[in-house]
Amino acid sequence: EAQVTQNPRYLITVTGKKLTVTCSQNMNHEYMSWYRQDPGLGLRQIYYSMNVEVTDKGDVPEGYKVSRKEKRNFPLILESPSPNQTSLYFCASSFQDSYGYTFGSGTRLTVV
Amino acid sequence: ELKVEQNPLFLSMQEGKNYTIYCNYSTTSDRLYWYRQDPGKSLESLFVLLSNGAVKQEGRLMASLDTKARLSTLHITAAVHDLSATYFCAVVPNSGYALNFGKGTSLLVTP
């Protein structure tokens, strides 16, 4: 089944403890992106990647890192999480943007 | 700064009625997407609109794109309860790759 898989689905962590949210797609998609969704602010792009080793900042990149060493994986790294990074995170991928993006199931992150 | 504005943000409508959701955007783009999100769920792709005048229909939903007016519409025909959800439009500017979302329209269809 073609899908974008995020892990974990839920995560509660403490301020400053490094964490990684994984994202993997099995569709050989070139484009991958990370978004966060917050009430009243909608969905905002954090980082995106056009292909292996090619990444760029989105609208809200501060406090996040990404890497794209393999085409299928695009992990989101929070080196020192803070409470304002509590949010619902989505990973998405697309073959070409002409086909739209397929979204993962989401990761609900709480930083205390 | 690219702006994507959806109207209305909240919509309560009776079953069987018709209504239109509007999506205005502030940049040159011929790539517009509509998504549906149920509470606690991910985003489901509804329509991909890639050219001026594009019109797509799926069941009771029909989406259109006017790139000159920078406007897309999502028309709901004879609404049913199962259509209750939040609907997002998203735009990719011709000059970039980022998917820019509107705030979403929360739709409630009541008997």
Side-chain angles (χ1 to χ4, degrees):
Chain A
E1 180 189 352
Q3 60 186 359
V4 177
T5 303
Q6 288 180 234
N7 280 295
R9 291 290 308 276
Y10 303 92
L11 179 60
I12 301 174
T13 190
V14 296
T15 299
K17 186 176 181 182
K18 181 180 179 180
L19 66 92
T20 299
V21 183
T22 63
C23 175
S24 180
Q25 49 92 4
N26 62 359
M27 297 167 280
N28 201 35
H29 283 173
E30 296 171 347
Y31 295 97
M32 296 186 76
S33 289
W34 277 102
Y35 298 85
R36 60 178 289 174
Q37 185 175 26
D38 302 288
L41 296 176
L43 284 135
R44 295 175 292 168
Q45 190 177 64
I46 303 170
Y47 270 95
Y48 66 93
S49 170
M50 294 163 60
N51 215 322
V52 176
E53 303 292 1
V54 181
T55 63
D56 206 349
K57 297 177 181 178
D59 295 324
V60 288
E62 294 78 19
Y64 304 95
K65 286 176 58 177
V66 293
S67 68
R68 188 93 181 271
K69 294 185 173 60
E70 306 167 279
K71 201 170 189 179
R72 63 183 291 127
N73 295 324
F74 191 43
L76 180 69
I77 304 158
L78 285 72
E79 295 269 2
S80 182
S82 62
N84 65 12
Q85 292 178 298
T86 293
S87 186
L88 178 58
Y89 292 86
F90 288 103
C91 178
S93 73
S94 173
F95 174 58
Q96 295 173 8
D97 56 12
S98 303
Y99 296 89
Y101 278 77
T102 301
F103 281 77
S105 299
T107 296
R108 186 165 293 280
L109 172 66
T110 302
V111 183
V112 298
Chain B
E1 177 190 348
L2 169 59
K3 291 184 179 179
V4 182
E5 295 183 346
Q6 283 184 239
N7 287 290
L9 296 182
F10 299 95
L11 176 57
S12 179
M13 57 189 298
Q14 284 185 312
E15 284 187 329
K17 298 293 187 182
N18 304 331
Y19 206 84
T20 300
I21 299 170
Y22 297 89
C23 175
N24 289 92
Y25 54 95
S26 64
T27 191
T28 303
S29 173
D30 51 13
R31 292 173 286 174
L32 189 135
Y33 310 89
W34 284 95
Y35 288 90
R36 168 181 172 145
Q37 187 180 35
D38 293 293
K41 303 291 186 181
S42 184
L43 284 86
E44 173 192 355
S45 178
L46 293 175
F47 299 108
V48 178
L49 303 171
L50 301 176
S51 61
N52 186 42
V55 177
K56 291 195 175 180
Q57 183 163 5
E58 181 73 34
R60 301 176 187 272
L61 300 177
M62 183 173 70
S64 66
L65 178 61
D66 181 342
T67 59
K68 294 179 181 177
R70 299 180 179 176
L71 170 67
S72 180
T73 62
L74 180 66
H75 187 72
I76 302 158
T77 301
V80 293
H81 180 69
D82 285 352
L83 291 179
S84 297
T86 300
Y87 294 85
F88 291 93
C89 66
V91 172
V92 177
N94 286 354
S95 60
Y97 299 93
L99 197 59
N100 294 271
F101 283 86
K103 291 284 176 69
T105 296
S106 181
L107 171 65
L108 176 63
V109 181
T110 58

